[in-house]
Amino acid sequence: MSSRIAKDLSVGQMAERAGVAVSTLHFYEAEGLIQSWRTAANHRRYDRRELRRVAIIRTAQAVGVPLSDIKAMLDALPSGRITAEEWRSAADVWAAQLDEKIATLQRLRTQMGACIGCGCLSMEHCPLYNADDRMGARGAGPRRWLGGAQEEAEMDAGAYDATP
Amino acid sequence: MSSRIAKDLSVGQMAERAGVAVSTLHFYEAEGLIQSWRTAANHRRYDRRELRRVAIIRTAQAVGVPLSDIKAMLDALPSGRITAEEWRSAADVWAAQLDEKIATLQRLRTQMGACIGCGCLSMEHCPLYNADDRMGARGAGPRRWLGGAQEEAEMDAGAYDATP
DNA sequence: CTACGGCCTCAAGTTCACTTGAGGTAAAGG
DNA sequence: CCTTTACCTCAAGTGAACTTGAGGCCGTAG
């Protein structure tokens, strides 16, 4: 029951521990990705649990997941204590998306190393474009995640001599 | 030797085939990511090989690789015909990065499903933050890829009651 | 008592990856 | 001949994810 308030972290401490800038934490909080309470002096105090949230946010971002998606997932969790069941169901939602991304990466890696790396220069049966991720692609600005319809993506092979 | 010029694609055809907007192709070309030659009427014509480049660009982007990195990799290739050896060495440069990303993703997935999913709420031995990708992090604006130093990332466990 | 570090807010700036718009050319169809 | 369609250029706008800067509060070490 005794909540050790002293154990909560200041924004500076959080920033150092999480490896992000203070301004980033301000930003995340403004976006509703993390939470804090305030001291009498209006200073932020973070529950240590928020560290994990930041870790997840950063990791997900590192592989191209937009903040809006991350937020959606984090929002799906209840704010207090989280049961194993709650985590699991949240994790399941992500699992599919992450698997897709892992597959995309492995496809890319394989393409680079094998299909393309082989030098055959043919893409007749190229699986590269089977990545219809489709997740963003609304509005202007940068479209992360493939987004497009990609339809047939039929590309034929052939030899050319780089017509100038 | 007979270069079938008619087989080259217009920007509209490329756009449709590659599943991107015409403006995107203009943009990629301005950035030096793809190439074209011009007809008498100053219209772009793309060698079919450029389709593969676009495919690679899009796939890499889908997993968070910035255009600058993609360009660096594509620039490393000679512009004409590419030998198997050339592709392989280019692929090798990327392989490590892609493996890192795959590992990061799998870590994230595992964290979500197991370490965190277990409900223990402890991150004592959490491997999540061992992703010191470090690749961007120069200048202002959004820092893709983890970027930060991440140092120890020591997070301890404990029970709290969400102090309001 | 004042200098300092650390915190606060809010507005504006920056980078990336594009998109949109204005204004114009060029061949093809009715 | 006129209109459509597809293309061209160049400048400016947009959204995401932050960072930077200006101006100010608070507690403590010198």
Side-chain angles (χ1 to χ4, degrees):
Chain A
M1 284 269 148
S2 58
S3 51
R4 268 85 43 75
I5 304 127
K7 279 256 168 181
D8 284 346
L9 302 158
S10 72
V11 59
Q13 291 170 327
M14 268 286 277
E16 179 148 5
R17 294 253 176 143
V20 302
V22 170
S23 63
T24 305
L25 295 176
H26 284 8
F27 176 73
Y28 286 166
E29 199 173 329
E31 296 287 295
L33 286 153
I34 55 175
Q35 280 179 4
S36 69
W37 56 279
R38 302 300 181 106
T39 64
N42 196 33
H43 287 190
R44 273 163 252 250
R45 279 303 111 99
Y46 294 99
D47 183 304
R48 281 183 135 75
R49 258 183 279 150
E50 298 302 301
L51 259 174
R52 186 173 56 240
R53 282 181 157 251
V54 176
I56 288 170
I57 293 165
R58 293 260 118 190
T59 307
Q61 278 199 293
V63 289
V65 183
L67 279 190
S68 55
D69 285 15
I70 299 170
K71 177 165 163 43
M73 175 271 174
L74 292 174
D75 283 354
L77 296 169
S79 51
R81 264 278 202 183
I82 299 159
T83 71
E85 212 37 59
E86 284 159 353
W87 258 117
R88 221 176 311 272
S89 70
D92 282 353
V93 175
W94 268 44
Q97 289 177 26
L98 294 180
D99 284 346
E100 274 244 48
K101 270 187 174 291
I102 290 170
T104 301
L105 262 169
Q106 268 158 354
R107 237 177 278 136
L108 181 58
R109 198 199 183 298
T110 307
Q111 288 320 110
M112 297 294 299
C115 159
I116 287 170
C118 75
C120 67
L121 288 177
S122 152
M123 282 186 99
E124 270 159 342
H125 309 98
C126 176
L128 228 190
Y129 247 18
N130 299 6
D132 355 33
D133 240 62
R134 146 180 13 207
M135 281 222 59
R138 72 287 185 200
R143 273 100 159 66
R144 295 146 195 292
W145 305 71
L146 286 188
Q150 238 94 272
E151 320 216 340
E152 309 265 317
E154 28 133 348
M155 333 185 174
D156 26 320
Y160 330 84
D161 26 10
T163 334
Chain B
M1 279 283 145
S2 58
S3 52
R4 270 86 39 76
I5 304 127
K7 280 253 167 184
D8 284 346
L9 301 158
S10 72
V11 59
Q13 292 170 327
M14 267 287 276
E16 177 150 5
R17 295 254 176 143
V20 302
V22 170
S23 62
T24 305
L25 295 176
H26 283 9
F27 176 72
Y28 286 166
E29 198 174 328
E31 297 288 295
L33 287 152
I34 55 176
Q35 281 179 3
S36 70
W37 57 279
R38 302 300 182 104
T39 64
N42 197 32
H43 286 191
R44 274 163 252 249
R45 280 302 113 100
Y46 295 98
D47 183 303
R48 279 180 136 78
R49 259 182 276 150
E50 298 302 301
L51 259 174
R52 186 172 55 241
R53 281 181 159 251
V54 176
I56 289 171
I57 293 165
R58 293 259 119 189
T59 307
Q61 277 200 295
V63 289
V65 183
L67 280 190
S68 55
D69 286 15
I70 299 170
K71 177 165 163 44
M73 175 272 175
L74 292 174
D75 283 355
L77 296 169
S79 52
R81 266 282 203 176
I82 298 160
T83 70
E85 212 37 60
E86 283 158 354
W87 258 118
R88 219 176 312 274
S89 69
D92 282 353
V93 175
W94 268 43
Q97 289 175 26
L98 294 180
D99 284 346
E100 274 243 48
K101 271 186 173 291
I102 290 170
T104 300
L105 261 170
Q106 268 157 353
R107 238 178 277 138
L108 180 58
R109 198 197 181 300
T110 307
Q111 289 319 110
M112 297 294 300
C115 160
I116 287 169
C118 75
C120 68
L121 288 177
S122 150
M123 281 186 100
E124 270 158 342
H125 310 98
C126 177
L128 229 189
Y129 245 19
N130 299 6
D132 359 31
D133 239 63
R134 145 182 14 211
M135 280 223 59
R138 72 285 186 205
R143 272 105 159 65
R144 296 146 196 291
W145 307 69
L146 287 186
Q150 238 94 273
E151 320 218 339
E152 308 266 317
E154 27 133 347
M155 334 185 173
D156 26 320
Y160 330 83
D161 24 13
T163 334

